[in-house]
Amino acid sequence: MIEVVNLRKEFKKTIKEPGLKGSVKALFNPKTETVEAVKDISFNIDDGQILGFIGPNGAGKSTVIKMLTGILTPTSGSCTINGKNPTVNRKKYVRDIGVVFGQRTQLWWDLPLRETYGVLKEIYEVPDDKFKKKMDFLNEVLELEDFISSPVRTLSLGQRMRADIAASLLHSPKVLFLDEPTIGLDVVVKNNIRNAIDHINKVEKTTVILTTHDLADIETLADRIVMIDKGLNVFDGTIGDLKSKYGQIRELNFVTDDKDAKSKLNYVDKFNVRQKDVVVEQEDTLVKVRFNSSRIAVPEILSYTLDTIVVNDISVKDADIEEIIRRLYQHEE
């Protein structure tokens, strides 16, 4: 379905010296430097798969997505989606994709939502029977009926996000690009959006590329994740693979009346480990200890803690995916 091979994108950046002299010099004799936003990205996505495409700010995610959607032309390398090159014969290509860019809407601000969908129907030349069937499906999955007659400018953020997702699916695209689809939404609305995306993927077999900073989106939806940093691939695999490789971090939580518990628990010296292998935080009676279970065994850290501090309650849990990804980006073992 999607094949990305050695994708690179360079931008030329003008360097301006300070002051008026620098401005004049930049105007008549500008100096430039080349910035590599994307250095060498390769991955494949199977038909019907949900891919979580993630990375820190400045990693090159947006640049990759813009190349995949045909907004930018690669400096070198190639990307093929459903057999088409995004930058060649773009008019035909865009019929195969749907795009939702976070808080930037594609809807007409002053038109009622129903009329907006009517305009998109004509743009994409969707036949009447297919349009009615699609709208019935989208109404059911995204619950649009309560606000479909309202002008877009009157919709809440959660309603507008559902409306944008529906707009991107009206022409039955084979690939759906979702950039931060749950940003700024409350917990209930986030869950509804995730359920809708999952349902659409399963029923329509739509391939989804999901970029997000909300790692719950990734855990809930993604079959596979590709992580990039500084324009390069740093991980490609399932969440299970990620946890298996980088998930040795565990978290010990306990409640104690001892306000000096943090200073009394010297895990580093006790177990002869590196400072980064164990991090202790205390807030009033709650103490959190994040530790590398490949260097300190769980029974050992429990035994030492209980021998050193009077504990009222205690639990151990696996590290969440956010902690795992933080360690990966910081190249920690």
Side-chain angles (χ1 to χ4, degrees):
M1 166 56 74
I2 299 175
E3 184 178 17
V4 177
V5 181
N6 302 128
L7 204 61
R8 291 178 62 252
K9 181 62 180 178
E10 296 178 348
F11 295 99
K12 291 208 177 289
K13 177 182 174 183
T14 301
I15 303 172
K16 187 182 87 66
E17 297 175 11
L20 179 61
K21 182 179 178 181
S23 298
V24 173
K25 192 174 180 181
L27 182 63
F28 293 100
N29 187 25
K31 289 184 178 180
T32 62
E33 67 176 6
T34 300
V35 177
E36 280 188 301
V38 175
K39 297 178 182 177
D40 187 13
I41 298 289
S42 298
F43 58 87
N44 295 319
I45 305 176
D46 295 333
D47 192 15
Q49 190 174 59
I50 298 181
L51 178 82
F53 189 63
I54 61 177
N57 291 330
K61 298 190 305 297
S62 295
T63 304
V64 172
I65 294 300
K66 287 175 182 176
M67 287 189 282
L68 294 181
T69 53
I71 296 171
L72 292 176
T73 301
T75 302
S76 64
S78 65
C79 53
T80 307
I81 299 180
N82 196 36
K84 298 183 178 70
N85 184 318
T87 55
V88 177
N89 201 346
R90 181 164 164 73
K91 187 175 179 180
K92 285 186 177 180
Y93 169 72
V94 295
R95 292 181 179 275
D96 285 344
I97 66 170
V99 182
V100 177
F101 280 124
Q103 301 205 29
R104 296 186 295 278
T105 186
Q106 61 185 305
L107 307 172
W108 280 267
W109 202 240
D110 291 312
L111 281 183
L113 188 57
R114 191 188 306 275
E115 292 184 29
T116 295
Y117 292 152
V119 173
L120 290 171
K121 169 186 177 295
E122 298 304 320
I123 290 173
Y124 286 106
E125 300 175 346
V126 182
D128 291 344
D129 56 337
K130 288 187 177 180
F131 177 73
K132 183 179 183 308
K133 186 177 179 181
K134 178 64 71 171
M135 283 306 307
D136 289 343
F137 171 73
L138 294 172
N139 267 321
E140 178 185 350
V141 174
L142 293 165
E143 299 177 345
L144 306 172
E145 199 58 49
D146 289 344
F147 53 88
I148 199 167
S149 298
S150 303
V152 171
R153 58 183 166 76
T154 67
L155 303 184
S156 69
L157 180 58
Q159 289 172 334
R160 189 185 58 70
M161 187 57 68
R162 283 145 60 194
D164 261 311
I165 292 173
S168 69
L169 293 167
L170 279 174
H171 57 295
S172 300
K174 294 178 173 61
V175 181
L176 177 62
F177 293 90
L178 295 174
D179 180 32
E180 300 282 0
T182 63
I183 188 170
L185 305 181
D186 64 48
V187 174
V188 174
V189 178
K190 280 185 180 183
N191 190 56
N192 292 340
I193 293 287
R194 289 171 189 145
N195 288 339
I197 294 168
D198 184 60
H199 185 73
I200 289 163
N201 168 255
K202 285 181 168 58
V203 173
E204 304 250 304
K205 308 301 180 188
T206 307
T207 303
V208 179
I209 298 179
L210 171 69
T211 64
T212 180
H213 285 93
D214 190 331
L215 296 171
D217 290 346
I218 299 296
E219 287 196 286
T220 303
L221 294 169
D223 305 312
R224 174 170 144 244
I225 55 178
V226 167
M227 302 169 61
I228 67 171
D229 191 18
K230 298 176 182 175
L232 293 167
N233 289 66
V234 293
F235 181 83
D236 184 345
T238 65
I239 290 178
D241 294 336
L242 182 68
K243 287 184 174 181
S244 175
K245 188 172 183 180
Y246 296 97
Q248 303 97 330
I249 294 299
R250 310 287 289 276
E251 187 174 283
L252 171 68
N253 294 319
F254 63 88
V255 177
T256 178
D257 295 327
D258 191 336
K259 299 299 178 63
D260 297 319
K262 180 178 177 179
S263 61
K264 292 178 180 178
L265 292 164
N266 191 348
Y267 296 108
V268 173
D269 290 343
K270 172 64 179 178
F271 298 105
N272 192 27
V273 295
R274 300 168 299 182
Q275 194 72 47
K276 67 180 181 180
D277 286 325
V278 56
V279 178
V280 184
E281 298 174 356
Q282 181 169 5
E283 185 174 342
D284 197 22
T285 61
L286 178 64
V287 180
K288 293 184 179 181
V289 183
R290 286 192 299 276
F291 65 99
N292 188 337
S293 60
S294 68
R295 298 183 183 273
I296 308 174
V298 173
E300 291 178 339
I301 199 167
L302 282 171
S303 177
Y304 171 67
T305 302
L306 294 170
D307 287 344
T308 308
I309 297 295
V310 177
V311 173
N312 300 328
D313 191 18
I314 193 164
S315 65
V316 180
K317 67 175 186 177
D318 291 333
D320 60 26
I321 192 171
E322 187 167 2
E323 175 67 16
I324 294 169
I325 290 173
R326 182 194 67 78
R327 290 173 62 81
L328 189 150
Y329 282 136
Q330 294 179 0
H331 308 291
E332 296 180 13
E333 296 178 356

